[in-house]
């Protein structure tokens, strides 16, 4: 059974940094791209970042470019999101999502339960 | 960036009836569209991909249709457990991968 478990969310001051982690199990981690998707309070889902299976390609939503870095450790079956220079608008539940990239697909077929990041002074 | 617009924002339906949710893309996404169900406090769940293909273990009462810029998610014989937020997502032109704003389905 596929499991994705996020951790690292907490209260942080504006301008601060945070590193989110996602521990995975139940599937061949090295065979899948991965993404982070967030949901701000009262808002819809927003894709944040993507990383290819081998880490050779990374993409970000414009609002986090230059501040967030997605990475992965294939030996540990883990995904990470380093978030720097955090802003109030980054406040959200952050989900780790397995990204199916077979053929034309670029969709999220398994998700974690999410971890809450609150940016506030 | 492709903008996805969902309507209505909220849909109130009686048990056993049909719910029809709409999703519109700002430009053609061909059939590269997915639907997700998101219940409060739970992980989102993939329902439909390729506009009309049900994901693994998704009940037959969920169906998707459309192509280009207009898409529909239909939930037949609505059950209480179907109360949730539903999102469409395009994956034809990316980055970015973009979601609609969501439709909240309430059970009367």
């Amino acid at each position: 059974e596929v499991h994705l478990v996020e951790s690292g969310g907490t209260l942080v001051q504006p301008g601060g940094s945070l590193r989110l982690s996602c521990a995975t199990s139940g599937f061949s981690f090295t065979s899948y791209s991965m993404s982070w998707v967030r949901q701000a309070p009262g808002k819809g889902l927003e894709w944040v970042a993507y990383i290819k299976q081998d880490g050779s390609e990374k993409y970000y939503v414009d609002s986090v470019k230059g501040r967030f870095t997605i990475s992965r450790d294939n030996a540990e079956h883990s995904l990470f999101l380093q978030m720097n220079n955090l802003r109030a608008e980054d406040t959200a539940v952050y989900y780790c999502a397995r990204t199916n990239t077979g053929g034309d697909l670029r969709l999220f077929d398994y998700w974690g339960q999410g971890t809450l990041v609150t940016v506030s002074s | 960036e492709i903008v996805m617009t969902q309507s209505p924002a909220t849909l109130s339906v009686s048990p056993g009836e049909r719910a029809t949710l709409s999703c519109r893309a700002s430009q053609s996404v061909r059939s590269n569209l997915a639907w997700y169900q998101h219940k409060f406090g739970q992980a989102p769940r993939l329902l439909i991909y390729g506009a009309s293909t049900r994901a693994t273990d998704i009940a037959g009462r969920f169906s998707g249709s459309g192509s280009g810029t207009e898409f529909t998610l239909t939930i037949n014989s609505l059950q209480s457990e179907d109360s949730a937020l539903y999102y469409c997502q395009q994956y034809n032109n990316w980055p970015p991968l973009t979601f609609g704003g969501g439709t909240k389905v309430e059970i009367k």
Side-chain angles (χ1 to χ4, degrees):
Chain A
E1 188 178 357
V2 175
H3 281 291
L4 306 171
V5 180
E6 303 92 339
S7 61
T10 190
L11 172 65
V12 61
Q13 292 189 339
S17 297
L18 205 57
R19 189 191 196 211
L20 304 184
S21 300
C22 174
T24 76
S25 62
F27 66 101
S28 175
F29 185 69
T30 55
S31 296
Y32 286 89
S33 298
M34 298 293 295
S35 296
W36 289 97
V37 179
R38 67 185 177 184
Q39 183 176 31
K43 303 291 186 181
L45 298 172
E46 179 184 40
W47 167 79
V48 174
Y50 161 96
I51 186 167
K52 197 177 177 181
Q53 290 92 323
D54 61 1
S56 61
E57 292 181 23
K58 302 177 184 181
Y59 302 106
Y60 303 90
V61 68
D62 283 350
S63 60
V64 308
K65 282 180 183 175
R67 300 188 299 122
F68 289 13
T69 301
I70 189 171
S71 62
R72 61 192 293 160
D73 184 335
N74 283 347
E76 295 295 326
H77 302 162
S78 294
L79 177 72
F80 306 99
L81 186 67
Q82 177 67 42
M83 304 187 293
N84 298 329
N85 191 20
L86 282 159
R87 305 167 180 168
E89 54 265 36
D90 296 318
T91 294
V93 174
Y94 284 74
Y95 296 97
C96 164
R98 193 177 84 168
T99 309
N100 191 323
T101 56
D104 289 339
L105 299 178
R106 298 292 184 270
L107 48 84
F108 314 109
D109 57 3
Y110 287 93
W111 302 61
Q113 297 278 359
T115 187
L116 176 61
V117 174
T118 304
V119 184
S120 175
S121 54
Chain B
E1 172 177 331
I2 296 180
V3 177
M4 307 301 292
T5 303
Q6 291 185 242
S7 61
T10 304
L11 191 58
S12 186
V13 182
S14 298
E17 295 193 342
R18 175 184 299 167
T20 303
L21 289 67
S22 295
C23 174
R24 174 177 292 178
S26 60
Q27 64 188 78
S28 176
V29 298
R30 298 187 294 169
S31 294
N32 293 322
L33 184 108
W35 289 94
Y36 300 86
Q37 178 192 64
H38 190 194
K39 297 181 181 180
F40 181 77
Q42 296 187 19
R45 181 171 69 148
L46 175 67
L47 296 176
I48 301 284
Y49 64 93
S52 60
T53 302
R54 274 190 299 276
T56 304
D57 294 333
I58 299 304
R61 64 181 183 277
F62 291 93
S63 63
S65 63
S67 66
T69 61
E70 301 285 342
F71 301 89
T72 300
L73 175 69
T74 302
I75 312 172
N76 288 306
S77 302
L78 199 76
Q79 301 182 8
S80 58
E81 67 205 51
D82 299 331
S83 177
L85 279 160
Y86 292 83
Y87 295 94
C88 60
Q89 176 235 328
Q90 70 81 22
Y91 50 91
N92 191 65
N93 283 34
W94 79 292
L97 295 163
T98 50
F99 291 90
T103 291
K104 182 178 182 181
V105 173
E106 296 179 336
I107 310 299
K108 282 184 182 176

